[in-house]
Amino acid sequence: MAEFVYPPVIRTAMTVFRALDIKIKIIGAENVPATGGAVLVSNHISYLDFLFAGLGTVKGAKRKTRFMAKDDVFKHRISGPLMRGMKHIPVDRTDGQPAYEAAVRALRAGEVVGVFPEATISRSFTLKKFKTGAARMAADSGTPLLPVILWGTQQLWTKGRPKTLTKRHVPVIIMIGEPIHLQPGDKPVMVTRRLRAAMTEMLDRAQQMYPAQPTGPDDTWWMPAHLGGTAPTLEVAEAEDEQEAAAKAARRAAAAEAAGHN
């Protein structure tokens, strides 16, 4: 089936990256399966991660990834048509089953489906707890998990920081690990632990080989606390996430109550 939206989006992104001299290094491109379904599992440190994770499969095996993303993005007047045109999969956070079933169908049809198992951006830039959905999708579709680690993308646009989409010369590492093939009887919880352990090791390697360091005291925010940066620790970041989720829930409840009175 012809792709009318995905190729120009990729070309546009690459043009912008070249103009900004974003120094992209892809490691492990040979690990992208040439054919067949696969669940691409990426860490999440930036609002742009789907672009870079998807770029890894395009460069690795000329394959396009269909990402699962919250349905709000599909309702936006600009991003909505693009997301639908690229055949990404909308997720309703109040009822994720239809999205799950759509993802399994896509995997069985031979597509690469992209998942962020942390669900939201990690403010600590370390791996948060993983949800088991990726492992369950791989088991239900009979496809492998493809671990992907991104590093450097947080410098461009991340949660709690202003957009710096015009920042130049930022190095970005895209590391693709060996596919993880499930065996009959593998439990999703155990597979998820194995996946997270593999991705933790990959993230450590990506951080060690990253060619840039903070330029001064005001530029340490993008470095994790355990590496001497001023990003919040995982525990502090999780507390901030909980506060934000509670505030959103309160706003939704207030809006629903106000609508009920109208």
Side-chain angles (χ1 to χ4, degrees), residues 2-3 22 44 52 55 67 86-87 143 146 160 166 192 242 254:
E3 296 271 2
I22 304 299
H44 203 6
F52 288 98
L55 183 61
F67 283 93
M86 289 186 281
K87 302 175 189 172
T143 58
L146 184 67
T166 57
T192 301
E242 289 174 4

Side-chain angles (χ1 to χ4, degrees), residues 83-97:
M83 295 294 281
R84 288 189 292 273
M86 289 186 281
K87 302 175 189 172
H88 295 314
I89 301 170
V91 180
D92 181 346
R93 293 251 174 115
T94 63
D95 180 12
Q97 190 61 29

Side-chain angles (χ1 to χ4, degrees), residues 102-181:
V104 170
R105 285 196 300 272
L107 289 164
R108 287 174 176 164
E111 297 275 16
V112 178
V113 173
V115 176
F116 296 106
E118 300 165 281
T120 57
I121 289 173
S122 172
R123 301 172 193 260
S124 68
F125 308 130
T126 60
L127 295 182
K128 299 168 62 175
K129 294 176 183 176
F130 280 18
K131 296 183 181 298
T132 60
R136 289 188 290 111
M137 284 193 299
D140 287 348
S141 61
T143 58
L145 294 161
L146 184 67
V148 172
I149 283 293
L150 306 172
W151 192 246
T153 60
Q154 73 272 32
Q155 291 201 62
L156 298 171
W157 185 16
T158 193
K159 183 178 285 188
R161 300 287 306 185
K163 293 181 192 178
T164 50
L165 298 179
T166 57
K167 188 172 183 178
R168 296 174 57 80
H169 317 304
V170 174
V172 169
I173 290 177
I174 304 169
M175 184 178 289
I176 305 167
E178 294 183 4
I180 296 175
H181 295 272

Side-chain angles (χ1 to χ4, degrees), residues 192-234:
T192 301
R193 287 179 185 170
R194 183 172 146 211
L195 170 67
R196 191 176 183 278
M199 291 178 64
T200 297
E201 189 273 333
M202 290 168 61
L203 179 57
D204 288 343
R205 278 196 289 136
Q207 290 169 339
Q208 289 168 13
M209 68 174 59
Y210 194 65
Q213 293 293 324
T215 56
D218 295 332
D219 190 41
T220 58
W221 61 267
W222 57 270
M223 287 284 283
H226 73 279
L227 293 179
T230 53
T233 63
L234 182 59

Side-chain angles (χ1 to χ4, degrees), residues 26-34 56-57 59-61 146 176-179:
I26 301 176
I27 301 166
E30 69 279 2
N31 290 323
V32 180
T57 59
K59 294 294 185 180
L146 184 67
I176 305 167
E178 294 183 4

